[in-house]
Amino acid sequence: MLKYANPTNFLTLAAKLLPWLGAATAALFAFGLYLGFFVAPADAVQGEIFRIMYIHVPAAWLAMLGYVAMAGSALGTLVWRHPLADVAQKAAAPLGAAFTFVCLVTGSLWGKPTWGTWWVWDPRLTSVLVLFIMYLGLIALWQTIEDPGRAARAAAILTLVGIVNIPIIKFSVDWNSLHQGESVFRAGGSTIYPTMLWPLLVMAVAFTLLFVTLLIMSMRNEILRRRVRRLSLLAADLAR
Amino acid sequence: MRGALAALFWREIAIARRIGGAGALGLVFFLILVTIAPFAVGPDLALLARIGPALMWIGALLATLLGLDRLFQADQEDGSLDVLITCDVPLELVVATKCLAHWAMTGLPLVIASPLLGLMLAIDGVTLAAVALTLLVGTPALTFIGAIGAALTVSLRRGGLLMAILVLPFAVPILIFGTSAAAAAAGGSVPFATPFLVLCGLALFALAASPFAAAAALREIDA
């Protein structure tokens, strides 16, 4: 870990890893999508529409994993003051938000033909929406505080407060729906058959690899962006 | 230490009373929220009575956020925040005291005024008492949770809007159990005590944990 406190070492590692990661992501996506769209049988109740599950469910997992990754980096920022943790935190926020958005949109597209509506105030939907808003709040915080170090520490505290609060929010939202008689949906109907499950697992790994690849790319960009910022500040200083 | 905290408490009260009159303004804001609601949904008393407790909770939530962005900002601008951070009294207690004073000037008037405004929304007596009770428990928690947002946005020029975005997701549980308890009192399938006790628990947790997060944020950002 100490070695990569030097951003240059990280950039070298990223340059080595990225082609492999990108290739593995593309291959797994191709394989997973092929399995999901051509090999897996159509659902007995939902027909072909259920195939959106292969995008929707991995996106939902990654939406949560993104927050966990951010919280881990937040600890790295606050406890070890690791410079790379700052960068990872900042890079993970828009990625997590994007996966959450994909999850919400595909869920909505799935909901229209099967439930007959784009949106219901179902507990699961509501808590994912709150998660999405929390991501947006974090991104806004990153963008408003100018000094990168200060922004990192502020975002880290907010992320950790969030990780304490997410289970509470989930619990409250569940409680609310249970007692106000809203409809509770069950995904998919019966238990998933292996022919339907395997593509899902492949897609989950593909999504995770995509997340890691994008995270490393975005971290690299952030490091370069900070260098540009520092250089332009220096240049402005010299010009004065 | 107790003397120092008491002095801080009265200082906050004095500032709130003299400058801007935050307490009175919050109350007027609450009043206007309740007043415009019937224009939006129509003056149907049965409907207003049904959604009244929820309206009052949303009003209280927004009124609590009002002026909260200045909780630490004013101190940061005149330098007294640095004194508070470096003095012997733990910053967590300073934060808690400031929140308590802020609540006494903004939240408490709302709680006291809520039965009166509830009458305008045709809420019946028992529900009215329940709404006031849930607000009494819930508004301090909202202030304390809001303090985290106030601390995070302390150095920003226009932090108010950002603070609201950061804080409101965390206020969701309080809002859910506050309105659930009020709805239970109005006659529901669950007894009033169940959601109310959860609300108390959440409020106590917020009161205990928020000062630590807010103090950490102040130390990290102001340093």
Side-chain angles (χ1 to χ4, degrees):
Chain A
M1 264 297 113
L2 212 58
K3 186 185 169 196
Y4 297 107
N6 182 347
T8 310
N9 288 341
F10 174 77
L11 287 181
T12 329
L13 179 74
K16 267 188 224 146
L17 280 180
L18 274 176
W20 295 101
L21 278 171
T25 308
L28 266 176
F29 254 100
F31 185 50
L33 286 174
Y34 168 74
L35 283 182
F37 280 96
F38 298 104
V39 177
D43 188 80
V45 184
Q46 298 186 20
E48 301 291 344
I49 182 73
F50 97 97
R51 293 185 200 279
I52 201 169
M53 174 179 84
Y54 297 126
I55 308 288
H56 177 70
V57 175
W61 286 339
L62 263 294
M64 285 180 277
L65 189 75
Y67 203 94
V68 174
M70 229 162 47
S73 315
L75 274 182
T77 294
L78 288 181
V79 180
W80 294 286
R81 309 272 157 171
H82 199 288
L84 215 53
D86 291 16
V87 177
Q89 255 197 97
K90 185 174 185 185
L95 287 177
F99 279 107
T100 316
F101 186 68
V102 169
C103 171
L104 284 170
V105 169
T106 53
S108 187
L109 290 174
W110 195 3
K112 183 65 183 164
T114 48
W115 298 344
T117 170
W118 297 110
W119 183 262
V120 281
W121 290 95
D122 171 79
R124 206 175 270 191
L125 275 73
T126 316
S127 33
V128 173
L129 184 63
V130 172
L131 179 67
F132 183 58
I133 296 172
M134 283 167 61
Y135 272 125
L136 294 187
L138 271 167
I139 295 171
L141 189 64
W142 272 111
Q143 290 185 343
T144 6
I145 303 183
E146 217 170 299
D147 177 54
R150 200 178 270 195
R153 295 193 293 272
I157 289 172
L158 186 66
T159 310
L160 292 180
V161 170
I163 206 121
V164 175
N165 259 295
I166 284 174
I168 301 178
I169 294 174
K170 183 92 181 72
F171 159 75
S172 328
V173 170
D174 283 354
W175 194 93
N176 190 35
S177 81
L178 220 64
H179 287 256
Q180 292 191 351
E182 277 176 30
S183 27
V184 176
F185 294 96
R186 274 188 220 133
S190 59
T191 47
I192 303 181
Y193 282 108
T195 41
M196 288 186 181
L197 185 62
W198 270 111
L200 184 62
L201 295 180
V202 174
M203 284 303 283
V205 178
F207 264 76
T208 313
L209 275 181
L210 177 67
F211 180 82
V212 173
T213 312
L214 290 177
L215 184 69
I216 292 179
M217 286 170 80
S218 160
M219 282 169 73
R220 185 187 60 186
N221 290 352
E222 177 61 23
I223 289 173
L224 296 177
R225 199 177 298 131
R226 285 185 184 191
R227 285 192 178 166
V228 170
R229 179 176 184 269
R230 212 167 301 137
L231 285 177
S232 58
L233 283 179
L234 273 176
D237 220 28
L238 284 177
R240 201 145 52 94
Chain B
M1 190 169 83
R2 192 170 296 172
L5 288 176
L8 179 66
F9 182 83
W10 292 114
R11 166 186 179 265
E12 294 294 315
I13 299 277
I15 290 176
R17 273 185 52 221
R18 281 176 202 158
I19 306 168
L25 258 184
L27 204 56
V28 176
F29 182 69
F30 192 42
L31 175 67
I32 194 138
L33 276 179
V34 171
T35 311
I36 58 168
F39 290 116
V41 299
D44 176 5
L45 280 186
L47 176 66
L48 282 177
R50 201 158 58 82
I51 62 171
L55 276 179
M56 294 180 67
W57 257 95
I58 292 179
L61 186 58
L62 296 179
T64 310
L65 285 180
L66 209 69
L68 201 61
D69 57 321
R70 297 291 296 165
L71 186 62
F72 303 113
Q73 216 168 42
D75 286 343
Q76 202 233 10
E77 280 164 10
D78 67 10
S80 44
L81 185 63
D82 295 325
V83 179
L84 291 174
I85 289 178
T86 47
C87 74
D88 293 339
V89 184
L91 187 57
E92 287 77 10
L93 283 176
V94 169
V95 169
T97 308
K98 281 180 73 82
C99 289
L100 215 60
H102 187 267
W103 175 76
M105 292 308 286
T106 57
L108 193 58
L110 292 188
V111 177
I112 295 170
S114 63
L116 200 67
L117 296 174
L119 283 177
M120 293 161 65
L121 295 172
I123 303 174
D124 68 273
V126 180
T127 317
L128 216 54
V131 171
L133 198 60
T134 54
L135 283 177
L136 181 66
V137 175
T139 45
L142 295 177
T143 305
F144 273 70
I145 294 173
I148 302 175
L152 286 171
T153 55
V154 66
S155 57
L156 304 177
R157 275 273 157 261
R158 277 189 293 273
L161 186 61
L162 179 62
M163 192 202 74
I165 295 173
L166 298 183
V167 161
L168 283 176
F170 299 139
V172 167
I174 305 276
L175 186 66
I176 286 178
F177 283 100
T179 49
S180 297
S189 52
V190 276
F192 172 70
T194 316
F196 184 67
L197 288 179
V198 180
L199 175 69
C200 291
L202 286 175
L204 285 174
F205 178 65
L207 258 56
S210 301
F212 288 93
L218 285 177
R219 280 200 201 95
E220 294 286 351
I221 293 169
D222 202 58

